[in-house]
Amino acid sequence: MPTFTDPLREIDAASVKEYALQRGAAELSDDFVQEACQRVMELAKPQAICQQCFYDNTSHMVLCDSPFTISSPTACQRIEDSAIVLMYAVTLGEAVEKEVDALFMNKDITRGLALDSALAVATAGYTKQLVDMLDEAGADKGYKAAWIMNPGTGDWPAGQMANIAQAVHAEQIGVSLLPSGMLMPRKTVTGVIGLNFIGGGCSGSCSACAMAGHCGE
């Protein structure tokens, strides 16, 4: 099962500040944001793992070592419309989360929110790095990532994050499943990525294409 261990490239400071403010930070200086981003870069041990998703259209079941039925009509439709579907898990490790917990325990709420927000933004950024790598790997054969979806978004229950983690054997990148169904590290993200055949002359935009939904057939 392929693993991805490239270094974390960067963390978008503006996104960190916006995310922290949305979560209730009354005010957040640029210095706090930069400090949080730098600390995540120092502590993070980014890893990702992915596996092709074998899916039964009739039962909406993912066929793997730990089979499960996808509970999202939206995800099911996207999977059925895609040429290739990959399940994945992404983690930046436990060290950053332990430091976040320590800050909150010491009632350093502002720094805790800043660091936790930087961790969330960095995890999303590393997921994009994974997608970029898949695009590079699929370019020679004409495949490109068309969509990505995670449990906990849209109509997909967050509890299925654990199903995907089990399916891709996320323990290989240090992710564990608690009896409660929660993943550790807590900021672990799992989901599915759909790839479609775009061929050599396609721009990757389907909105104006006569073959939208049917390319590669």
Side-chain angles (χ1 to χ4, degrees):
M1 207 169 301
T3 57
F4 177 67
T5 58
D6 280 9
L8 180 63
R9 292 177 191 157
E10 61 181 354
I11 305 173
D12 181 49
S15 296
V16 173
K17 188 169 188 176
E18 180 181 358
Y19 187 66
L21 292 173
Q22 289 174 353
R23 296 181 61 207
E27 57 182 71
L28 194 62
S29 71
D30 291 342
D31 287 344
F32 275 17
V33 172
Q34 292 297 336
E35 175 187 292
C37 292
Q38 181 60 37
R39 195 65 181 138
V40 171
M41 294 294 290
E42 292 170 354
L43 293 175
K45 293 184 177 179
Q47 296 185 85
I49 190 167
C50 61
Q51 175 179 316
Q52 188 166 357
C53 173
F54 296 99
Y55 174 82
D56 180 74
N57 290 359
T58 303
S59 64
H60 307 303
M61 180 172 284
V62 174
L63 308 177
C64 56
D65 292 345
S66 303
F68 66 97
T69 301
I70 292 184
S71 302
S72 161
T74 302
C76 290
Q77 189 61 58
R78 288 181 175 181
I79 289 170
E80 290 164 18
D81 289 345
S82 299
I84 298 172
V85 177
L86 301 173
M87 299 179 292
Y88 75 91
V90 167
T91 181
L92 300 192
E94 293 185 355
V96 187
E97 290 189 2
K98 288 180 178 178
E99 187 149 321
V100 170
D101 292 343
L103 288 169
F104 282 125
M105 286 291 291
N106 292 330
K107 302 191 185 304
D108 195 346
I109 305 302
T110 301
R111 277 192 168 87
L113 276 172
L115 188 62
D116 195 55
S117 299
L119 175 56
V121 170
T123 302
Y126 199 68
T127 302
K128 185 180 184 305
Q129 285 183 222
L130 172 64
V131 173
D132 290 343
M133 181 275 293
L134 293 172
D135 280 346
E136 291 175 9
D140 287 346
K141 295 184 178 179
Y143 287 95
K144 184 176 179 63
W147 58 271
I148 182 168
M149 189 172 179
N150 317 101
T153 60
D155 60 3
W156 201 352
Q160 292 216 290
M161 287 184 67
N163 293 124
I164 297 175
Q166 288 181 300
V168 299
H169 295 283
E171 69 276 3
Q172 295 180 25
I173 58 170
V175 176
S176 58
L177 178 63
L178 301 181
S180 65
M182 183 177 180
L183 297 178
M184 292 295 290
R186 297 186 303 273
K187 283 291 193 291
T188 299
V189 173
T190 70
V192 293
I193 301 167
L195 284 71
N196 282 335
F197 181 77
I198 62 171
C202 177
S203 66
S205 174
C206 298
S207 58
C209 179
M211 290 297 291
H214 303 284
C215 54
E217 293 181 356

